[in-house]
Amino acid sequence: MISRYLTELYQNNVKSSGEDVMSAMLPLIKLLTLTLFGLVIAHPKIQIIPKATFKLLSKLVFALFLPCLIFSELGESMTLDNLVYWWFIPVNVLISTAVGCILGYLVVIICRPPPQLNRFTIIMTAFGNTGNLPLAVVGSVCHTSDNPFGPHCNSRGVAYVSFAQWVCVILVYTLVYHMMEPPLEYYEIVEEEGGEIEEELPVTNISRPLLVEAEWPGIEDKETEHSKTPFIARIFKSISSVSQSTLPDVEVDGESGEKSPRSLRCLAEPRVVRRMRIVVEQTPIKHILQPPTIASLLAIIIGLIPLLKGFFFGYDAPLGFVTNSLEILAAAMVPSVMLILGGMLAEGPNESTLGLRTTIGISVARLLLLPIFGIGIVTLADKLNFLVAGDRMYRFVLLMQYTTPSAILLGAIASLRGYAVKEASALIFWQHLFALFSLSLYIVIYFKLLTHMV
């Protein structure tokens, strides 16, 4: 009798475990199938669809499909109460980036990449794909009828991912932009009779890969005079080399009230303040107002004002037909993103000077170690009651922020700054290839954890 009971219990547990694994694997299998379609139709030997078409598709995703998805889902879910409840989502983005930076620094110490790629190694470990890929995973998970997240799965998941977008964009145009500045070691100053000629050593005019436009089309149009130069580093070096002793000492004429150079030296802008001012001036923060960011801001504003929200959302909304049209367009976002990813993988990896050891180190830190820290951080936040009570999707999105590979957008920033373009292309290729396995592993783990956390 006891043996029969234990046998049935074992069989039920095995069956339950198998069903849990299958329910976690099925959404990813769907995404892999879409990616495979993109890889086949974009493969150079077949090339049913040329690269130019994929670039146009990426522009449609960026300027139309993604903003429609963000506005239609975030706007409907946004309320003043939710704005308060969701405070940990942007904070979690900052925490995951900080932990990633620490892991990236450890990769630099252990793997010893070429010195000029130290900052590149740190930022590629720290900054993950917190937009398109999590949206695709959420859409695929919620497309399954037996998903563990309950009703309104897709709308809540998209709203949570979209709510983090504004923080990610600010990080891109501040921390990432300056971390990807070409180091001074890349440049030589050649003395000639007429003055100085600045020559960039490692730049090569390679054909622009698809990853440059896969997530942020048109970013190359944001190039400024100093985008591809170590401008900030040179300014810091030049300011630090200036001594205040170079300012002459002249007294003040008491009768005339004229200020002397001695007093002018006292009024001179402090070097620290001047450095900060120059960094702010050279930070292209004005470029954050892109279509997805604008859609997020509009959704938040309209969602917080009940009168406006009633015009767009709800059964009897006067402008409900507009929202319904946006939802139809938004449905094309997930398949388009995965097709573009397949097209990017079809190009294959570029040659890289990063080295095999560093490539493996970044991939292991980003795809295997960082999610473990994420589990600990999200579990601790749950114990401290920082998270929305009883919401599994909320926790799943937080965990996904630690799990995705390096952002494809980093390839575009590398191209914009003229720094480690080949290395970014190769590393993003290998990370997304490895992520097929790491995402499968951790989604299964997350599904198991969420049943115990909530």
Side-chain angles (χ1 to χ4, degrees), residues 425-442:
S425 176
L427 186 59
I428 290 172
F429 172 85
W430 290 117
Q431 276 207 41
H432 280 76
L433 200 61
F434 297 152
L436 301 179
F437 305 99
S438 64
L439 272 174
S440 303
L441 171 65
Y442 277 106

Side-chain angles (χ1 to χ4, degrees), residues 141-163:
V141 166
C142 295
H143 190 264
T144 307
S145 58
D146 59 344
N147 71 80
F149 301 109
H152 308 295
C153 167
N154 188 67
S155 59
R156 288 186 292 113
V158 172
Y160 296 152
V161 175
S162 303
F163 191 64

Side-chain angles (χ1 to χ4, degrees), residues 57-270:
L57 181 59
S58 68
K59 290 180 180 180
L60 276 174
V61 169
F62 179 75
L64 185 61
F65 300 155
L66 180 57
C68 289
L69 180 65
I70 291 174
F71 180 83
S72 59
E73 300 295 353
L74 180 60
E76 186 174 13
S77 302
M78 179 56 61
T79 63
L80 187 58
D81 290 337
N82 285 341
L83 185 65
V84 176
Y85 292 147
W86 297 354
W87 68 271
F88 193 74
I89 295 177
V91 172
N92 193 59
V93 173
L94 298 177
I95 294 173
S96 66
T97 305
V99 175
C101 285
I102 296 172
L103 288 176
Y105 184 71
L106 293 176
V107 172
V108 169
I109 294 174
I110 296 170
C111 299
R112 298 180 182 178
Q116 68 270 21
L117 297 176
N118 286 345
R119 284 189 282 111
F120 170 82
T121 300
I122 293 172
I123 206 65
M124 291 298 286
T125 309
F127 199 78
N129 190 326
T130 56
N132 290 355
L133 191 55
L135 286 173
V137 172
V138 166
S140 184
V141 166
C142 295
H143 190 264
T144 307
S145 58
D146 59 344
N147 71 80
F149 301 109
H152 308 295
C153 167
N154 188 67
S155 59
R156 288 186 292 113
V158 172
Y160 296 152
V161 175
S162 303
F163 191 64
Q165 287 298 295
W166 60 273
V167 184
C168 300
V169 174
I170 292 175
L171 283 176
V172 165
Y173 277 113
T174 51
L175 173 67
V176 174
Y177 184 84
H178 289 305
M179 286 286 283
M180 296 290 277
E181 179 181 273
L184 279 172
E185 291 80 2
Y186 267 15
Y187 288 78
E188 280 184 346
I189 301 299
V190 182
E191 296 287 345
E192 292 199 349
E193 293 180 1
E196 297 179 347
I197 297 178
E198 188 179 82
E199 181 182 0
E200 188 177 355
L201 296 179
V203 172
T204 57
N205 292 323
I206 61 172
S207 59
R208 193 182 301 276
L210 178 61
L211 73 87
V212 171
E213 299 186 33
E215 197 166 276
W216 201 286
I219 196 170
E220 67 277 3
D221 299 332
K222 313 301 180 186
E223 183 176 331
T224 64
E225 179 185 356
H226 302 294
S227 289
K228 289 182 166 61
T229 65
F231 180 75
I232 301 298
R234 285 205 307 263
I235 290 296
F236 272 54
K237 185 177 180 180
S238 63
I239 292 176
S240 61
S241 64
V242 175
S243 172
Q244 288 194 2
S245 62
T246 57
L247 294 174
D249 290 336
V250 180
E251 298 295 335
V252 179
D253 188 346
E255 295 180 0
S256 63
E258 294 181 357
K259 295 180 179 179
S260 69
R262 181 189 294 274
S263 61
L264 286 175
R265 184 175 64 185
C266 296
L267 295 174
E269 186 178 32

Side-chain angles (χ1 to χ4, degrees), residues 344-362:
M344 187 193 79
L345 295 178
E347 293 183 339
N350 284 329
E351 296 179 359
S352 172
T353 61
L354 189 61
L356 179 61
R357 182 170 59 180
T358 306
T359 300
I360 294 175
I362 294 174

Side-chain angles (χ1 to χ4, degrees), residues 368-409:
L368 296 180
L369 298 182
L370 187 59
I372 296 175
F373 286 95
I375 292 172
I377 292 169
V378 173
T379 303
L380 178 61
D382 190 32
K383 297 294 184 183
L384 297 174
N385 295 321
F386 289 166
L387 311 184
V388 178
D391 193 335
R392 290 180 178 177
M393 177 55 74
Y394 187 90
R395 289 155 178 78
F396 181 71
V397 169
L398 294 178
L399 290 168
M400 284 297 298
Q401 291 175 351
Y402 295 89
T403 316
T404 54
S406 297
I408 298 175
L409 181 57

